[in-house]
């Protein structure tokens, strides 16, 4: 099990770098209109729905279970969203 860097992409308005990485060959799925700010890291089995935003230096790590983030969700600066091994996934609904 290892994290493999998929790509370094330019943040929507900042022109800075954020990281989207696959884990165990599972790529994050991010709607085209999601804003991802500078320094954010999105790793593994993560889905982020339309209209959502992920702000500066947030980590969303779907390595040992999955994470689903609904539509129009605002994940604020420095947030960490993770899961527990053998436990439940992390589910954040719309709005």
């Amino acid at each position: 099990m290892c994290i493999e860097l998929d790509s370094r992409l330019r943040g929507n308005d900042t022109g800075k770098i954020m990281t989207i990485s696959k884990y165990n060959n599972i790529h994050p799925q991010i709607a085209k209109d999601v804003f991802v700010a500078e320094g954010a890291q999105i790793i593994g089995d993560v889905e982020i729905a339309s209209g959502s935003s992920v702000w500066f230096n947030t980590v969303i790590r779907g390595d040992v279970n999955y994470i689903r983030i609904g539509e129009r969700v605002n994940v604020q600066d420095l947030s960490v969203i993770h899961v527990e091994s053998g436990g439940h996934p992390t589910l954040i609904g719309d709005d």
Side-chain angles (χ1 to χ4, degrees):
M1 290 191 251
C2 66
I3 294 173
E4 180 180 326
L5 182 63
D6 250 358
S7 58
R8 290 189 167 270
L9 305 173
R10 297 217 171 265
N12 300 11
D13 295 325
T14 64
K16 303 294 181 177
I17 301 296
M18 47 126 172
T19 304
I20 310 295
S21 303
K22 68 180 175 180
Y23 180 83
N24 281 346
N25 214 29
I26 300 173
H27 299 263
Q29 302 296 310
I30 303 168
K32 291 181 182 180
D33 66 340
V34 170
F35 172 80
V36 180
E38 172 184 350
Q41 296 188 40
I42 303 171
I43 303 161
D45 195 354
V46 175
E47 292 181 10
I48 305 174
S50 182
S52 292
S53 56
V54 178
W55 289 88
F56 300 97
N57 301 308
T58 291
V59 176
I60 303 173
R61 193 173 79 186
D63 54 354
V64 295
N65 212 324
Y66 62 91
I67 297 170
R68 300 296 180 260
I69 298 173
E71 294 182 348
R72 299 171 304 280
V73 172
N74 181 334
V75 182
Q76 284 291 297
D77 309 60
L78 298 170
S79 297
V80 175
I81 301 174
H82 192 236
V83 290
E84 186 175 320
S85 178
H88 300 284
T90 297
L91 306 172
I92 301 172
D94 297 339
D95 301 309

